[in-house]
Amino acid sequence: MRIALLGVAHPHVDNYLTNLRVAGAEVVGAYDHNAERGASWAQAHGVAFEDDPARLFDKKPDGVVITSETAFHLDLVEQAASAGAAVLCEKPLGVGHRDSERIVRVCERAGVSLMTAFPMRFHPAVRRVREMVVSGGLGTLRALTGNNQGVIPTKEWAWFTDPALAGGGAIMDHVVHLADIFCWISQSAPATVYAVSNRIVHADSVTVETGGLMTITFASGVFASIDCSWSRPLTYPTWGEAAFSAVGDAGTVEVDLTVQRLTRYGGAGTVAWLPWGASINQAMVDEFLLALQERRMPAVTGRDGAVATAVAVAAMESAASGEVVEVPGGLSRPRASGNVLIKGAE
Amino acid sequence: MTAALRVGVVGAGSTARERVDSWGQAGAGRVVLLRPDPGERSRRGVEDRGEVDADVLAFVDQVDLVDVCAPSTLSASVVIAAAAAGRPTLCGWGFVESLGEAQSVAAMFDDRRAPMIIAGLRCVPAFAAAQAAVAQGSIGRPAVLRLSLRSPPPPSPGPNPLTSIFADVMLPALDYLRWIAGPVETVYATATSQGPGFAIAILQHRDGAISHLQASWANPACEPRATLEISGADGLITFRSDHAQPVNSCLSLTAEPARTAVESMLEGQLRLVIGMLDAKGGPVNTAGDWVEALRLVLAAERSADHHAPVRVDPEPGEGS
């Protein structure tokens, strides 16, 4: 498979390059709207750089991985769709609900597959919990509660705190992963959201929210909560963490997605957590490539990304208004099937 | 006062007996268990909400602290007698049926400058230490707080509407969050209406902090557990009660069950209560604090009923 990288702004781009290479894909080149940054990154990683995406598409990639600032997702997806390339797009899908919906429709119309980068879906623990729920092992599912806090992105990743580039702050950055997992586990559409936010941590350095708490009520009656705050101090041993609990009639199951770690003292920092265990990024990239090879929709779709983005946008609206907000199309949105054939599969 | 502190535990059940032992472990000078007459309780308790044996009321005058472990139907008279005698009293809110009733009882304690103490999280050593660290400015201004309390389900919920999971589990937690981050402006809560008891409350504090509180009875075979996280402008404090015991054992199945806890949560709480009564600065809480916690419980219940955020009226003296 021939894959192009569109954008090097996202911190995951280094990982994805490794994941693509491990999976045996050929990385045909990289583009970034900031030519100086893009060329520098490409040179450091042994990748050809193009300062015009058209020249990258001339190389006929089978797919693209979009790791730009969120505000550029739509434009890059449109170009990839026009070129007939499958898309793996970083989250959140767009900077707003309309943006995300347009990204999904562009790919649907072009008949190219669109996958949202939700690697947590591929964590064995998440899959185990979903199996427990689907099989009835947890009894009737009643509630989900999770936390995906982190350290505020700074330096080259400071664009996450620019609402024009990222669509918001901590809510846009950290709601979508758990929102997607909760939709997937509950097998239900999000109906309403209530959220509160503040800017006490890093109050002097950013204009967006750094603290955020929210609840989601699903069409099924299941309710959930998410802590999406950038509430970890800059000296925290890692980027942050992700954990959640599922409550059913048979009891509670708790998941800590970052518990498989070593603790290192000294070295480059004072204390650091070194993760071990399954690489969920690798599993996600493997699925993107396999779906492309088998000409089917990937296990995580663009529609899933649009739903999760709609939850985050609704949370921002709720935090601003102080009211419970309906998730756009939440109750009527069809769930994408995992085995839909795409153009060219016949 | 510690060496000579006389504690009167009022109750007849296993809870009261456990409290007697725990007071002894915590360092009380003398502990007396007063058992209300069971016949008296069954005959009159339900009918008129607990006229307890006269000896109990007389006993209140003879101790330095009253610890009420009697059923709710019996406790009202004891608490009121203790308030009238100006005795520091450890109790719950299970005996009141309305906010107004709670305010009246609190006013009695305040009038006599006697602390009314609910052995809540303020008295748990780790939680008290976290508050002290925040108060000293070690993490800056509180920003995002998370508190989770889980336990097995209670044997049976009581008939009093104030014994929901909000009142039973969340009340001490709401008090604690208010202690750390100040008065609350809005409460949004949601809870299971079927299946195991599980509830979430999201608080917006007037000073800008936000809190996430989780209360769970959905843990049928697990030890109770409390987790705390306070994120501040300059740092983070975390605590997990299941990672807090310095002694852990893994013994043969045939061995006698060993007590490994160096100090149970209850003993730690009672030790702090004793220290609180000794401190010249006075108690860490007033009866009014518990009234405010009860107001938050009622707001959470109303929010869960109506699926909407509930604004909390300003506290007395807070202004609007």
Side-chain angles (χ1 to χ4, degrees):
Chain A
M1 287 290 160
R2 293 163 56 77
I3 305 296
L5 294 171
L6 301 181
V8 300
H10 200 282
H12 290 166
V13 65
D14 292 16
N15 284 337
Y16 294 162
L17 175 64
T18 302
N19 300 145
L20 288 165
R21 284 171 168 165
V22 166
E26 179 188 354
V27 179
V28 298
Y31 159 79
D32 194 274
H33 68 90
N34 181 334
E36 186 182 347
R37 174 179 66 182
S40 170
W41 181 89
Q43 186 179 21
H45 292 84
V47 177
F49 178 74
E50 300 289 352
D51 60 5
D52 182 346
R55 280 200 290 277
L56 207 47
F57 287 116
D58 287 344
K59 297 181 181 181
K60 305 290 182 195
D62 299 298
V64 300
V65 177
I66 297 180
T67 40
S68 66
E69 296 91 337
T70 311
F72 301 118
H73 285 182
L74 175 59
D75 178 52
L76 294 172
V77 167
E78 284 176 334
Q79 294 187 59
S82 295
V87 177
L88 169 58
C89 186
E90 255 304 338
K91 61 80 201 169
L93 211 49
V95 289
H97 180 56
R98 248 183 258 170
D99 212 33
S100 300
E101 285 294 324
R102 206 165 148 198
I103 286 172
V104 172
R105 280 199 301 273
V106 161
C107 290
E108 284 174 350
R109 277 202 292 268
V112 300
S113 78
L114 171 62
M115 182 177 189
T116 310
F118 284 147
M120 286 184 193
R121 280 263 204 118
F122 295 88
H123 198 294
V126 176
R127 293 178 165 245
R128 179 65 55 82
V129 173
R130 186 171 187 270
E131 284 167 15
M132 289 177 71
V133 171
V134 172
S135 69
L138 194 59
T140 301
L141 181 67
R142 302 292 181 186
L144 296 146
T145 178
N147 50 293
N148 186 195
Q149 312 100 319
V151 177
I152 192 170
T154 57
K155 299 177 183 171
E156 66 265 42
W157 302 314
W159 65 266
F160 278 93
T161 66
D162 180 346
L165 293 175
I171 290 177
M172 273 306 259
D173 187 25
H174 274 185
V175 160
V176 290
H177 284 297
L178 286 173
D180 173 66
I181 283 176
F182 290 171
C183 291
W184 191 52
I185 289 176
S186 69
Q187 303 164 83
S188 185
T192 62
V193 162
Y194 174 78
V196 294
S197 67
N198 64 18
R199 191 175 68 250
I200 294 175
V201 180
H202 305 294
D204 298 331
S205 52
V206 298
T207 60
V208 290
E209 78 281 354
T210 53
L213 300 170
M214 65 173 296
T215 64
I216 308 169
T217 303
F218 289 90
S220 62
V222 169
F223 62 86
S225 72
I226 297 174
D227 180 349
C228 59
S229 307
W230 286 330
S231 54
R232 272 40 192 152
L234 296 174
T235 53
Y236 205 59
T238 188
W239 62 269
E241 56 237 313
F244 68 94
S245 302
V247 178
D249 285 355
T252 303
V253 58
E254 298 178 339
V255 178
D256 184 345
L257 299 180
T258 53
V259 76
Q260 292 182 318
R261 66 197 181 215
L262 307 174
T263 304
R264 186 197 67 200
Y265 302 91
T270 48
V271 182
W273 290 344
L274 310 177
W276 58 269
S279 165
I280 55 177
N281 284 338
Q282 186 65 58
M284 181 184 72
V285 168
D286 287 349
E287 165 61 11
F288 173 62
L289 296 173
L290 190 61
L292 189 51
Q293 187 181 328
E294 296 175 350
R295 295 187 174 277
R296 60 167 170 82
M297 292 289 281
V300 186
T301 64
R303 175 61 62 192
D304 295 330
V307 171
T309 305
V311 170
V313 172
M316 289 198 298
E317 290 172 8
S318 174
S321 68
E323 302 294 333
V324 175
V325 170
E326 286 189 13
V327 180
L331 290 171
S332 58
R333 180 176 295 112
R335 301 286 295 168
S337 163
N339 56 3
V340 174
L341 290 175
I342 59 174
K343 187 182 279 184
E346 299 86 351
Chain B
M1 183 189 276
T2 303
L5 182 75
R6 297 166 301 169
V7 177
V9 178
V10 181
S14 57
T15 302
R17 277 189 285 278
E18 182 192 359
R19 298 286 273 236
V20 170
D21 292 342
S22 296
W23 276 113
Q25 293 285 340
R30 181 169 175 244
V31 189
V32 180
L33 174 66
L34 189 63
R35 298 170 48 158
D37 174 26
E40 197 78 353
R41 180 177 57 185
S42 60
R43 183 160 50 81
R44 296 193 293 185
V46 175
E47 292 171 10
D48 58 16
R49 297 194 64 239
E51 284 288 332
V52 295
D53 187 278
D55 287 345
V56 176
L57 301 180
F59 174 82
V60 162
D61 261 345
Q62 300 167 31
V63 297
D64 301 312
L65 182 144
V66 181
D67 182 3
V68 184
C69 300
S72 297
T73 50
L74 284 167
S75 6
S77 302
V78 178
V79 173
I80 290 167
R87 288 292 180 272
T89 302
L90 200 61
C91 62
W93 270 138
F95 65 91
V96 298
E97 290 186 334
S98 68
L99 182 63
E101 204 175 327
Q103 287 167 325
S104 299
V105 173
M108 287 183 69
F109 279 98
D110 284 346
D111 284 348
R112 285 152 185 83
R113 298 182 184 282
M116 176 189 167
I117 307 156
I118 296 178
L121 297 174
R122 292 191 192 215
C123 299
V124 175
F127 282 74
Q131 188 276 338
V134 172
Q136 287 160 12
S138 67
I139 60 164
R141 181 180 163 201
V144 184
L145 293 80
R146 298 177 55 80
L147 210 167
S148 166
L149 299 171
R150 78 167 199 196
S151 63
S156 61
N160 188 323
L162 292 180
T163 53
S164 67
I165 193 168
F166 291 105
D168 210 42
V169 183
M170 279 197 177
L171 185 137
L174 289 165
D175 169 68
Y176 184 79
L177 293 169
R178 176 180 162 272
W179 194 32
I180 299 289
V184 173
E185 188 168 44
T186 58
V187 176
Y188 180 85
T190 183
T192 49
S193 54
Q194 301 174 68
F198 183 82
I200 289 168
I202 289 180
L203 315 179
Q204 180 119 43
H205 298 264
R206 291 195 195 282
D207 281 351
I210 52 180
S211 294
H212 181 280
L213 172 56
Q214 177 179 319
S216 177
W217 281 331
N219 312 280
C222 298
E223 289 290 314
R225 186 186 70 194
T227 62
L228 171 69
E229 182 182 300
I230 307 172
S231 302
D234 304 322
L236 170 70
I237 288 172
T238 66
F239 169 73
R240 281 181 64 122
S241 65
D242 56 346
H243 292 174
Q245 287 298 339
V247 180
N248 290 284
S249 65
C250 185
L251 305 175
S252 155
L253 291 175
T254 57
E256 285 291 315
R259 177 188 153 124
T260 55
V262 173
E263 180 180 69
S264 71
M265 182 181 278
L266 177 60
E267 289 163 11
Q269 286 176 306
L270 301 183
R271 181 168 55 79
L272 280 197
V273 169
I274 292 171
M276 192 173 86
L277 294 176
D278 275 345
K280 290 183 179 155
V284 294
N285 71 274
T286 65
D289 289 324
W290 293 111
V291 171
E292 292 308 319
L294 190 55
R295 283 209 307 151
L296 297 179
V297 164
L298 297 174
E301 289 182 330
R302 199 158 67 246
S303 172
D305 285 345
H306 297 284
H307 306 289
V310 169
R311 288 189 73 83
V312 181
D313 290 336
E315 298 180 7
E318 191 188 349
S320 55

